Amino acid sequence: MQTDIDPRSLIGRKAFDSRGDKIGTVDEVYLDDATGEPEWAALRTGIFSRDAFVPLEPSRLDETGLRVPFARDLIKGAPDFGVGRHLSPQQELQLYRHYGLDTPLPHEAPAPPDRDFGRIAGAGD
């Protein structure tokens, strides 16, 4: 998804499934803990329904709303973790698996600085 979008601008936008049918409205946006980039959206799927989490990648935003490239049944069958709370790494993993997406690689620590791991034979004994 476009990473230059203010996540707050997604709130209240209509969301559409892979067939173009309206599936709900963006209720909340969840940011990646490490990067601060928008990663998940919680969609309110109806007046008496719960929120369903959808990945913002590979979804796209256009002038009509959020286009989620998954079928309605898959979206409505997503694990329910409730909204307004932090998603744990285990919950995110469940969501990635539910949607059949590759799990993101853990953010790697920066490489250690180059070090001298020995001496040249015969130098400065």
Side-chain angles (χ1 to χ4, degrees):
M1 187 174 141
Q2 299 164 287
T3 57
D4 60 340
I5 302 259
D6 179 356
R8 293 172 294 203
S9 71
L10 292 171
I11 306 295
R13 301 287 297 262
K14 293 178 184 175
F16 302 89
D17 68 7
S18 59
R19 292 180 31 180
D21 296 328
K22 182 180 176 205
I23 51 174
T25 304
V26 177
D27 198 22
E28 291 192 27
V29 176
Y30 290 76
L31 307 179
D32 181 272
D33 288 338
T35 66
E37 296 295 326
E39 188 169 15
W40 299 96
L43 305 180
R44 173 69 55 189
T45 58
I47 295 173
F48 300 108
S49 297
R50 64 179 180 84
D51 282 71
F53 287 92
V54 296
L56 290 174
E57 179 64 42
S59 300
R60 63 183 174 77
L61 186 63
D62 65 18
E63 64 280 347
T64 60
L66 184 66
R67 300 288 172 167
V68 183
F70 299 102
R72 174 187 298 266
D73 290 341
L74 184 65
I75 294 166
K76 287 192 174 191
D80 183 3
F81 301 121
V83 294
R85 294 179 289 180
H86 183 266
L87 285 175
S88 73
Q90 294 80 14
Q91 290 170 325
E92 284 191 79
L93 185 58
Q94 279 183 269
L95 288 168
Y96 276 105
R97 287 181 180 153
H98 175 78
Y99 286 105
L101 298 171
D102 292 332
T103 55
L105 295 174
H107 299 284
E108 296 179 16
D114 289 338
R115 299 185 187 219
D116 183 8
F117 286 104
R119 324 183 263 146
I120 298 174
D125 286 313

